[in-house]
Amino acid sequence: MSGLNETNNESYRYLRSVGNNWQFDVEDVHPKMISRLYKRFDTFDLDCDGKMEMDEILYWPDRMRQLVNATDEQVEKMRNACYKFFLNKGVDPVNGLVRENWVESNRVFAEAERERERRGEPSMIGLLSDAYYDVLDDDGDGTVDVDELKTMMKAFDVPQEAAYTFFEKLTQTRVANWSDLS
């Protein structure tokens, strides 16, 4: 029996609210994916206590401020987007998210994103991507080039393949130099 459900996880709550009864099964997740997800968890768990907390998540927008010339308004927009994104990823504002629930939390989040896409609703990935896009477009030319992409990857310690997924969710008109990114 899983530790997450619609009473303690926003993505499950969303799925149930739209009549989707999807349920996590660890047998459906490849061992390499589990390993990658735990490695990502460890990146976000800044104090290494086995629990990801919202204050650890909100460190990342502040890190972006250090890497680019982000305004207070841009940082606040990133913080709000990170908060909403990771709330939907399963990070409870009070109790955080324990490591053993991270894989399930990611999988139910992915299912909720697929459901949002099927229903034509805005995605959480898109919300987060747009907030960071506005900061990453450092030269203000309306595109994100490879050097600006590398800044984001550095800020999040993100492997390249994950960064491409992140930017794939951006509105295609906002990424004029898509061929440079893929």
Side-chain angles (χ1 to χ4, degrees), residues 59-77:
Y59 159 81
W60 298 99
D62 293 328
R63 181 156 162 72
M64 281 296 294
R65 181 194 308 262
Q66 296 168 3
L67 295 171
V68 298
N69 295 324
T71 66
D72 289 343
E73 181 181 332
Q74 289 171 319
V75 171
E76 190 59 29
K77 184 178 177 184

Side-chain angles (χ1 to χ4, degrees), residues 129-174:
S129 298
D130 285 347
Y132 276 85
Y133 176 90
D134 292 340
V135 174
L136 288 173
D137 183 19
D138 196 37
D139 58 13
D141 68 353
T143 65
V144 173
D145 63 30
V146 174
D147 289 333
E148 291 163 333
L149 173 63
K150 288 177 184 175
T151 299
M152 193 278 302
M153 293 179 355
K154 181 179 178 182
F156 279 96
D157 297 325
V158 173
Q160 272 190 338
E161 60 273 10
Y164 295 131
T165 301
F166 183 85
F167 281 96
E168 189 175 288
K169 295 295 182 181
L170 283 172
T171 307
Q172 289 295 318
T173 58
R174 295 189 79 174

Side-chain angles (χ1 to χ4, degrees), residues 5-6 9-24 88 104-105 107-116 118-119 121:
N5 58 51
E6 63 274 7
N9 180 278
E10 289 295 320
S11 289
Y12 272 124
R13 190 172 296 120
Y14 168 77
L15 289 173
R16 299 306 179 259
S17 77
V18 297
N20 183 324
N21 291 319
W22 181 92
Q23 190 62 46
F24 174 73
N88 280 274
E104 179 177 4
S105 187
R107 302 313 298 160
V108 69
F109 175 82
E111 182 60 28
E113 284 291 275
R114 283 188 289 276
E115 185 66 35
R116 285 183 187 94
R118 282 190 291 270
R119 300 173 69 80
E121 298 172 0

